[in-house]
Amino acid sequence: MPSRPDVRVRTAIAADAGELLTVQLAAFVSEAQQYGDPLILPLRDDVGAVRSAVADPACTVLVAEVVVGGPDGRAGRLLGSARLHRGDVGQVGRVVVAPDAQGLGVGSLLLGALHRVAARDGALATELFTGADSARNIAFYARHGYVATHLIADDRGVRLQVMRRAADAFGSPPHAGPPADVG
Ligand SMILES: CC(C)(COP(=O)(O)OP(=O)(O)OC[C@H]1O[C@@H](n2cnc3c(N)ncnc32)[C@H](O)[C@@H]1OP(=O)(O)O)[C@@H](O)C(=O)NCCC(=O)NCCS
């Protein structure tokens, strides 16, 4: 995929669950390989878990979808997803982009759209975690205003870096692309 196709960000619906899970599993394989653990949390989700998140009124699940088909993408294809458990400190999770579409700005579009949802909710901050050894992910989130706070471990002992973004950092960075159709 040489360039990013036209993408729109929209709220996920139940019918997206299968394709969304497929993208999630494909995206997280590289993380699982890095940590030598095929059972990292996002790889344990099933389609029911995705449907539950989509149906949860306290959770906003967004997907990035190709708008116009062409050499760079099939119209309607889901390239990525991200979710926000809303609250005073919104919890961002499952930020995923299909392996062949990574590095094209899709993750930035999704994160920017989630930040707009959090801002609209009046959240004080958003928080997330990523693998403590996942330097590219940590750099990605730092570029979007996140600051490393502390380390935790998952239930299998994988070290995770918690990162937080204050509400006054809300607003999309210049490279985040055009506004999404949400928020
Ligand atoms: C991390 C991820 C969501 C970023 O989305 P993206 O669309 O690839 O990112 P963007 O194109 O908006 O931004 C590019 C930046 O993302 C970061 N990045 C992290 N992993 C990357 C990857 N596999 N390919 C390209 N960029 C990646 C880098 O900082 C990169 O900047 P650089 O090119 O200067 O190194 C995506 O690469 C992904 O799905 N990775 C696998 C799943 C994962 O680890 N998710 C995060 C869990 S907390």
Side-chain angles (χ1 to χ4, degrees):
M1 189 173 291
S3 62
R4 196 185 86 200
D6 277 349
V7 168
R8 72 169 175 139
V9 174
R10 62 167 172 80
T11 305
I13 58 172
D16 293 321
E19 190 177 358
L20 196 165
L21 178 66
T22 303
V23 170
Q24 176 177 313
L25 298 181
F28 271 105
V29 163
S30 57
E31 286 286 286
Q33 288 169 336
Q34 177 167 352
Y35 293 94
D37 185 349
L39 295 177
I40 57 172
L41 283 166
L43 291 185
R44 280 184 256 167
D45 281 353
D46 59 17
V47 77
V50 177
R51 281 196 194 112
S52 296
V54 170
D56 182 350
C59 184
T60 295
V61 182
L62 301 181
V63 291
E65 174 184 61
V66 175
V67 180
V68 182
D72 293 339
R74 166 177 58 76
R77 180 187 169 197
L78 297 191
L79 294 183
S81 179
R83 66 178 72 161
L84 173 74
H85 292 274
R86 300 194 312 276
D88 285 348
V89 179
Q91 302 294 321
V92 171
R94 302 297 190 269
V95 184
V96 292
V97 174
D100 64 318
Q102 292 174 6
L104 301 177
V106 175
S108 295
L109 273 181
L110 286 161
L111 205 51
L114 281 190
H115 292 157
R116 286 192 287 280
V117 172
R120 191 185 59 199
D121 281 356
L124 303 174
T126 51
E127 201 171 68
L128 53 78
F129 56 80
T130 190
D133 299 326
S134 302
R136 289 189 83 183
N137 289 357
I138 291 170
F140 170 72
Y141 292 126
R143 199 170 316 138
H144 287 274
Y146 285 84
V147 175
T149 56
H150 58 286
L151 293 170
I152 55 174
D154 75 5
D155 58 354
R156 295 171 62 81
V158 174
R159 287 184 332 129
L160 302 170
Q161 178 67 62
V162 181
M163 303 184 79
R164 177 181 274 239
R165 181 180 196 270
D168 58 13
F170 283 137
S172 301
H175 62 275
D181 68 346
V182 295

